[in-house]
């Protein structure tokens, strides 16, 4: 397995999210910066009660510099509406901040980040959690699950249930919206995805009591 230096030396531990966003582009913690257009920071209220963590920027996100603006992002927007969640109320980010891809002709095809790249980028996610201090985290997909819940966690077995991050922070795991976009059983899988988000809303309400 490739050994990367990791992001720790680039992550600012003073200042808030503005400092994080300013420093993120200079990160050389793994090799993904070499081919990606840019690092893509998280977005949303700095004191959001709910934080969504996805996998990695896609082609659209890499070009535009914003999270969840491609097909998976559009599907997530629809699911949030169905679940009664305002996108403007939640903080959205990814476990890995640079786009990993392979070229097929002129097309850049998404490639799942390696475990070493997930580990290398993890300090950025830790810092975001420290700043936002969410009451609940929605973990979307296996890469986010590996980053936050460990390599043995299985989203397919634990989705839609209350789980806890290692520090005790409540979380709900679900599939990544891109999996729903690609699904041959779209209507069913979209409904299941929305159901998981509704569980998160219910749990967030319980945390407030």
């Amino acid at each position: 397995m490739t050994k990367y230096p990791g992001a720790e030396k680039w992550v600012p531990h003073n200042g808030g999210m503005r400092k994080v966003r300013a420093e993120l582009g200079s990160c050389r913690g793994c090799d993904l910066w070499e081919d990606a257009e840019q690092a893509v920071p998280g977005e949303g209220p700095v004191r959001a009660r709910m934080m969504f963590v996805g996998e990695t920027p896609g082609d659209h996100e890499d070009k535009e510099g914003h999270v969840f603006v491609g097909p998976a992002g559009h599907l997530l927007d629809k699911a949030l509406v169905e679940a009664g969640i305002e996108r403007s109320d939640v903080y959205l980010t990814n476990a890995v901040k640079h786009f990993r891809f392979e070229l097929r002709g002129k097309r850049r095809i998404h490639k799942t980040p390696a475990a070493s790249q997930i580990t290398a980028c993890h300090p950025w996610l830790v810092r975001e959690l420290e700043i936002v201090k969410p009451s609940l985290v929605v973990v979307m997909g296996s890469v986010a699950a590996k980053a936050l819940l460990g390599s043995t966690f299985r989203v397919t077995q634990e989705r839609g249930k209350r789980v806890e991050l290692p520090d005790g922070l409540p979380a709900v795991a679900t599939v990544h919206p891109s999996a729903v976009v690609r699904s041959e059983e779209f209507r069913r899988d979209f409904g299941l995805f929305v159901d998981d988000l509704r569980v998160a809303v219910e749990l967030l309400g319980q945390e407030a009591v």
Side-chain angles (χ1 to χ4, degrees), residues 127-148:
R127 185 64 184 137
E128 287 176 299
L129 283 163
E130 290 173 350
I131 294 171
V132 178
K133 296 182 173 65
S135 298
L136 183 135
V137 178
V138 179
V139 182
M140 299 189 296
S142 61
V143 169
K146 286 176 183 175
L148 291 171

Side-chain angles (χ1 to χ4, degrees), residues 55-125:
E55 179 180 284
T56 178
D59 185 68
H60 289 82
E61 290 78 10
D62 184 49
K63 290 173 179 174
E64 297 182 34
H66 296 286
V67 290
F68 292 101
V69 292
H74 296 320
L75 183 135
L76 176 61
D77 286 344
K78 293 177 182 177
L80 290 173
V81 170
E82 290 284 329
I85 302 169
E86 293 282 347
R87 176 166 170 149
S88 60
D89 288 341
V90 301
Y91 186 86
L92 297 165
T93 192
N94 284 302
V96 175
K97 310 305 186 192
H98 284 100
F99 181 32
R100 189 186 193 205
F101 62 91
E102 60 184 6
L103 283 173
R104 292 183 191 168
K106 294 184 178 180
R107 293 181 63 205
R108 302 191 304 171
I109 306 300
H110 164 270
K111 191 173 182 182
T112 301
S116 54
Q117 292 162 335
I118 298 169
T119 300
C121 204
H122 191 62
W124 289 109
L125 183 56

Side-chain angles (χ1 to χ4, degrees), residues 21-38:
R21 293 174 66 89
E23 297 296 330
L24 180 62
S26 64
C27 185
R28 302 293 182 263
C30 76
D31 62 338
L32 292 181
W33 68 272
E34 296 176 5
D35 296 319
E37 294 285 333
Q38 58 195 312

Side-chain angles (χ1 to χ4, degrees), residues 12-25:
H13 291 282
N14 52 34
M17 199 64 77
R18 187 175 297 180
K19 186 77 174 290
V20 168
R21 293 174 66 89
E23 297 296 330
L24 180 62

